[in-house]
Amino acid sequence: MALLRGQKLSVAFGAVPVLDDISFVIGNREKTALVGRNGEGKSTLLKLLAGTIDADAGELNRDSNLKTAYLPQSVPTDLEGSVYSVVATGLPGVGDLLAQYNQLSQDPEAFDSAKLQRVQDQLEAKDGWTAGQRVEETISRMSLDAQSDIASLSGGMKRRVLLAQAIVSAPNLLLLDEPTNHLDIGAIDWLENYINTLHCSVVFVTHDRAFLNRVANAIIELDRGVLSQWPGNYETYQKRKQEALEVEAQHNALFDKKLAQEETWIRQGIKARRTRNEGRVRALKALREQHRARRKRSGNVNLATNEGERSGKLVFETDAMSFAYDTTTIVNDLSITVLRDDRIGIIGPNGCGKSTLINLLLGKLTPSSGSIRHGTQLQIAYFDQLRAALDQDKSAADNVSEGQDNIEINGVSKHIMSYMQDFLFAPDRARAPITALSGGETNRLLLAKLFLKPSNVLVLDEPSNDLDVETLELLEALLSDYKGTVVLISHDRELLDNVVTRSLIYQGAGKFIDVAGGYTDFLRELETSKGLKPVFEQADTAKGKSAALTSQVESTATPLVTDSSTNNNKATQNKLSYKLQRELDALPEKISTLETSIAELHKSIAAPGFYDDRDKADKALLQLDKQQTELEATYTRWEELEGL
């Protein structure tokens, strides 16, 4: 059964159509991935399906029972209120009432018995309690804290809240625009598994190839404004697409040959022109129009690094290196040796200290204890996740060339515009200010600037964000062939598996362990080793603080030093007393008991007739407030003892 059927739809912004006379069908319970290069119109098509924009031409037929929910690419900046209130607004009609009821019943300062009674009466009239139960079930299934202030959450958790808001209305078509963007591996794993359990149709855009393969069972491709549908997963699509491109190239070659023959004929001498067939002339004009209308496939990014001198055998060596921010340990007792030609992946949840670790290795931060030693003849090119290397007042080209018309790469002089075209920047985009660039273009610009610098060590902090799949695959091939050392932070599992030879895996409390291979190799080791922890466990109190610390690192940080032996005093290891250890061991059970009790109180408060006995209701609300305060204090104490 088709939920949506598009027929000859067109959308244009300016002279060039983004969607050109496209037709498609979205079936029931299909998991459909939209694929195509950046700028091909994937987000435009999602907005068209969501009804936020209209087509310039064509028809979009919707099933009479279609209910659509849409998760946009960017997290809105104006989100406020509790998680419960944000999720509840996904229910039209009763969502605002449920949010009011939740605030009045949970916030002692907002408590107003008369107003609460009015809201309760309206909810009963609209069967709001059933909808309220759905909100609570959705929040529980997505492991969210209903009473948390959404403004205090990380970007990844905010996206999870918005996803809960989208699905709480029980849509039969869920539209997701880049749901994996800026999520860590644990969050992507969770989202992947969750979408596979949904019994509705899903249409999504993502550049995560592992996510594509494990979720999609149908592919819609946008290529030069034209849409095509492909059954099966992403791997099947890749094989069939390559075959189709080969056939297209053959057809174009035959077409061009015929056009050249006709052009030769029309330019023959006077005698031929007197006797020429007018029908053949009209056919030639049609061929010219067809050739003019052909939208050629844009070339691939031409990635190449500017190779530096060969470095010494040793690149980095740390001995019991630790680093703390205030009272929080971010890197704890790390001893590793990085040799020339190693490819190191750094894997962990957002905020655990991966960027801080890189800044320690680069000498931008000084260890709190332990030592770090750097090898000789190091030429480091650093891809900065925070994009501090770009000058906002300069054009894209000037950011790369520093105002020069010609640049030199591997001993060959090249005009800057030619070099920019290697990274798919047309002259007008190359001259544009970087504030006008998209996220994908900005990342390509950073790569262009990075690869121009002679290097034998590449340090890349989240290079895959916003890059389309084809550019990602080219970056992957370049890193695999790079003649030097690579240090890579990424949440792209496919990139990690195909590039790195060793991984530093975050294990909590500032600990990173060194394992052979990429992320999939770590998962295999995780199954057989009881001492390892999954990457997706939440970062502890270091979360968020390492990001704040990284933002304080000056771009003019101290240069690399050969030896930090003056800083090799080892951290004093704190050991808990018997009494404190017993207290720490008892805290998880206490937290579990409090959470169970709070959940029961929430259930009682949500029950009809709860406020019939006002004295009993007031006591229950006071008890709830007391237990929530106690739970927060228990969590704080647990974090203090864990830190020791």
Side-chain angles (χ1 to χ4, degrees):
M1 183 183 73
L3 293 177
L4 267 175
R5 188 182 299 273
Q7 295 179 310
K8 297 185 177 300
L9 294 166
S10 295
V11 176
F13 300 115
V16 179
V18 179
L19 304 176
D20 190 6
D21 200 32
I22 65 171
S23 298
F24 58 87
V25 175
I26 305 296
N28 190 32
R29 295 195 177 184
E30 280 185 348
K31 305 292 192 297
T32 303
L34 294 182
V35 301
R37 290 186 169 184
N38 290 335
E40 288 286 356
K42 301 186 296 295
S43 294
T44 300
L45 179 55
L46 276 184
K47 292 174 183 177
L48 192 64
L49 299 181
T52 59
I53 64 171
D54 296 321
D56 298 327
E59 293 183 3
L60 185 60
N61 299 316
R62 303 173 184 271
D63 183 84
S64 57
N65 297 318
L66 181 65
K67 187 185 291 185
T68 302
Y70 174 48
L71 179 67
Q73 184 174 353
S74 301
V75 176
T77 57
D78 57 351
L79 290 175
E80 58 182 21
S82 68
V83 167
Y84 184 98
S85 64
V86 174
V87 174
T89 54
L91 291 170
V94 296
D96 290 340
L97 289 173
L98 287 169
Q100 290 180 49
Y101 178 83
N102 181 260
Q103 183 183 14
L104 290 168
S105 60
Q106 298 298 326
D107 186 356
E109 295 182 2
F111 181 74
D112 183 328
S113 58
K115 187 175 182 179
L116 189 65
Q117 185 62 51
R118 287 196 300 272
V119 173
Q120 185 176 347
D121 292 341
Q122 292 178 65
L123 284 171
E124 288 175 351
K126 296 183 177 182
D127 192 24
W129 303 120
T130 302
Q133 186 176 1
R134 193 188 307 164
V135 173
E136 291 175 1
E137 287 175 354
T138 303
I139 289 173
S140 176
R141 285 174 65 194
M142 303 188 77
S143 303
L144 296 168
D145 181 358
Q147 305 311 320
S148 291
D149 183 0
I150 193 166
S152 67
L153 300 182
S154 66
M157 290 303 292
K158 286 179 180 177
R159 289 188 73 79
R160 190 180 290 200
V161 174
L162 291 175
L163 180 60
Q165 182 192 71
I167 66 175
V168 74
S169 61
N172 47 19
L173 177 60
L174 180 61
L175 306 172
L176 306 174
D177 195 353
E178 294 285 7
T180 61
N181 237 16
H182 305 286
L183 296 185
D184 57 37
I185 288 179
I188 294 171
D189 273 337
W190 174 88
L191 181 62
E192 191 177 277
N193 294 328
Y194 185 78
I195 290 178
N196 281 327
T197 65
L198 295 176
H199 298 296
C200 65
S201 293
V202 181
V203 179
F204 64 94
V205 175
T206 184
H207 296 151
D208 188 308
R209 292 163 291 172
F211 188 90
L212 269 172
N213 261 329
R214 295 169 188 172
V215 174
N217 54 30
I219 304 289
I220 288 180
E221 183 203 42
L222 284 169
D223 184 9
R224 293 160 285 175
V226 178
L227 181 146
S228 57
Q229 290 191 260
W230 309 75
N233 65 5
Y234 182 66
E235 283 184 357
T236 304
Y237 152 77
Q238 283 183 305
K239 294 175 184 176
R240 294 180 177 177
K241 177 62 178 178
Q242 185 59 40
E243 294 168 359
L245 286 174
E246 290 171 1
V247 171
E248 180 185 353
Q250 292 171 1
H251 286 172
N252 285 343
L254 290 172
F255 178 91
D256 292 343
K257 183 178 180 181
K258 182 179 179 181
L259 178 59
Q261 290 171 343
E262 294 300 296
E263 291 286 2
T264 301
W265 171 81
I266 200 70
R267 289 174 175 81
Q268 286 178 358
I270 300 295
K271 181 179 178 181
R273 288 201 295 271
R274 281 201 304 263
T275 59
R276 65 191 175 191
N277 184 303
E278 291 302 322
R280 192 170 176 182
V281 174
R282 287 194 296 272
L284 174 59
K285 290 181 178 178
L287 285 175
R288 287 172 174 170
E289 286 299 319
Q290 190 176 345
H291 186 271
R292 188 179 297 114
R294 184 200 299 170
R295 295 178 65 182
K296 294 183 180 179
R297 184 175 175 82
S298 58
N300 287 327
V301 178
N302 184 16
L303 298 183
T305 57
N306 207 351
E307 295 178 8
E309 298 178 2
R310 192 167 171 81
S311 71
K313 184 175 181 181
L314 175 71
V315 179
F316 303 119
E317 184 178 49
T318 69
D319 180 20
M321 183 180 71
S322 296
F323 184 85
Y325 178 68
D326 290 339
T327 59
T328 302
T329 299
I330 297 175
V331 177
N332 185 13
D333 195 31
L334 179 65
S335 296
I336 60 166
T337 300
V338 178
L339 301 177
R340 182 180 61 226
D341 297 333
D342 275 350
R343 284 161 170 72
I344 309 293
I346 303 178
I347 305 173
N350 288 332
C352 73
K354 301 185 297 296
S355 295
T356 300
L357 176 55
I358 276 186
N359 282 315
L360 286 164
L361 294 178
L362 295 179
K364 292 175 177 286
L365 291 172
T366 303
S368 304
S369 63
S371 65
I372 177 168
R373 188 160 66 97
H374 300 91
T376 58
Q377 295 181 311
L378 298 185
Q379 294 176 286
I380 298 175
Y382 177 35
F383 184 98
D384 183 7
Q385 183 185 19
L386 301 177
R387 297 171 177 169
L390 298 180
D391 188 336
Q392 303 290 320
D393 297 326
K394 293 181 179 179
S395 69
D398 284 344
N399 262 284
V400 173
S401 69
E402 302 295 337
Q404 302 297 315
D405 289 336
N406 293 286
I407 52 95
E408 186 173 300
I409 184 162
N410 292 325
V412 178
S413 180
K414 197 170 189 176
H415 194 274
I416 182 59
M417 287 303 170
S418 176
Y419 182 70
M420 295 297 287
Q421 286 178 346
D422 287 343
F423 290 81
L424 301 186
F425 285 97
D428 59 328
R429 298 303 289 168
R431 296 187 185 97
I434 63 170
T435 52
L437 302 182
S438 67
E441 287 176 320
T442 303
N443 265 20
R444 272 192 276 122
L445 182 67
L446 277 170
L447 291 174
K449 185 176 178 71
L450 179 82
F451 294 156
L452 191 59
K453 180 180 179 181
S455 69
N456 51 36
V457 180
L458 276 180
V459 180
L460 306 167
D461 193 348
E462 291 288 359
S464 59
N465 284 342
D466 302 312
L467 295 182
D468 59 45
V469 171
E470 291 186 41
T471 307
L472 263 176
E473 290 173 346
L474 290 165
L475 174 63
E476 181 181 289
L478 179 140
L479 294 178
S480 298
D481 296 336
Y482 179 68
K483 295 177 181 178
T485 307
V486 176
V487 180
L488 171 66
I489 293 178
S490 181
H491 300 305
D492 189 312
R493 295 160 291 178
E494 193 101 354
L495 183 65
L496 288 165
D497 284 344
N498 294 339
V499 170
V500 306
T501 56
R502 293 166 55 193
S503 297
L504 295 177
I505 310 284
Y506 180 76
Q507 292 287 283
K511 282 284 186 182
F512 287 85
I513 60 167
D514 190 352
V515 300
Y519 181 66
T520 301
D521 297 300
F522 167 71
L523 291 182
R524 281 194 290 267
E525 195 166 334
L526 186 65
E527 293 175 357
T528 58
S529 177
K530 295 182 179 179
L532 298 180
K533 297 179 182 178
V535 175
F536 51 80
E537 287 190 355
Q538 285 289 326
D540 53 20
T541 50
K543 186 162 187 173
K545 293 188 178 181
S546 62
L549 174 66
T550 302
S551 67
Q552 295 174 12
V553 177
E554 298 292 332
S555 58
T556 56
T558 55
L560 292 176
V561 292
T562 303
D563 194 350
S564 300
S565 57
T566 56
N567 198 29
N568 63 357
N569 56 305
K570 297 204 173 187
T572 303
Q573 299 296 320
N574 293 329
K575 186 175 181 180
L576 292 178
S577 67
Y578 176 74
K579 182 179 178 181
L580 290 178
Q581 185 62 53
R582 288 198 63 184
E583 181 186 357
L584 176 61
D585 293 341
L587 287 177
E589 184 177 351
K590 183 178 180 182
I591 288 171
S592 177
T593 302
L594 284 169
E595 287 178 337
T596 302
S597 178
I598 289 171
E600 290 295 327
L601 284 170
H602 279 308
K603 188 175 180 180
S604 299
I605 292 170
F610 172 76
Y611 289 96
D612 292 347
D613 187 336
R614 294 302 173 88
D615 291 336
K616 184 179 178 181
D618 289 343
K619 288 179 181 178
L621 291 171
L622 287 172
Q623 184 183 1
L624 176 64
D625 183 52
K626 180 180 177 182
Q627 289 191 1
Q628 286 178 329
T629 302
E630 186 179 359
L631 179 62
E632 291 174 5
T634 306
Y635 266 120
T636 301
R637 181 58 175 164
W638 179 60
E639 290 172 353
E640 289 174 356
L641 294 178
E642 277 288 320
L644 295 175

